[in-house]
Amino acid sequence: MDTKTKRKNRIRRHKRVRAVVKGTKDRPRLSVFRSANHIYAQLIDDVKSITLLSSSDLEEALDKNKSKVAFKVGEILAVKALKKGINNVVFDRGGYKYHGRVKALAEGARQGGLKF
């Protein structure tokens, strides 16, 4: 399968998930984007269409292991969210399978104190 087809399938899966998963101010959507080298996470209020806060592995020099980096990004995002008074989120895996770096980010956010 070529990369164009993989990308189209991921976007199709993401649209299916987004039809159900909505974020609010009280319970924002934790959206994950995973590139080949980096991982990004945002807390989004879909009612107002604004990003409340974000985190990525570009913010600071982290480990070489991508899964460990994703876990740390989840923890950093959770700390930022708790400082803003956000405890509960809905998880949007972005059309990716829930394993590897996406799962590590979610576990890091949970360990950091977020509930979803």
Side-chain angles (χ1 to χ4, degrees), residues 33-42 54-66 68-74 76-77 80 101 105:
F33 178 74
R34 175 179 65 89
S35 73
N37 296 316
H38 301 288
I39 190 153
Y40 309 86
Q42 299 179 42
S54 66
S55 182
S56 75
D57 60 346
L58 298 173
E59 292 177 8
E60 58 183 76
L62 297 169
D63 198 352
K64 295 279 187 203
N65 185 321
K66 292 180 185 179
K68 289 181 182 174
V69 168
F71 186 87
K72 192 69 176 166
V73 169
I76 292 169
L77 185 75
K80 287 181 181 179
R101 291 190 283 160
L105 188 138

Side-chain angles (χ1 to χ4, degrees), residues 37-50:
N37 296 316
H38 301 288
I39 190 153
Y40 309 86
Q42 299 179 42
L43 290 182
I44 301 170
D45 177 1
D46 289 318
V47 175
K48 292 185 179 178
S49 299
I50 58 170

Side-chain angles (χ1 to χ4, degrees), residues 15-35:
K15 285 182 181 178
R16 234 183 359 246
V17 170
R18 287 287 295 117
V20 178
V21 177
K22 302 282 186 235
T24 63
K25 185 176 185 235
D26 298 328
R27 191 166 178 177
R29 175 170 54 98
L30 194 164
S31 177
V32 177
F33 178 74
R34 175 179 65 89
S35 73

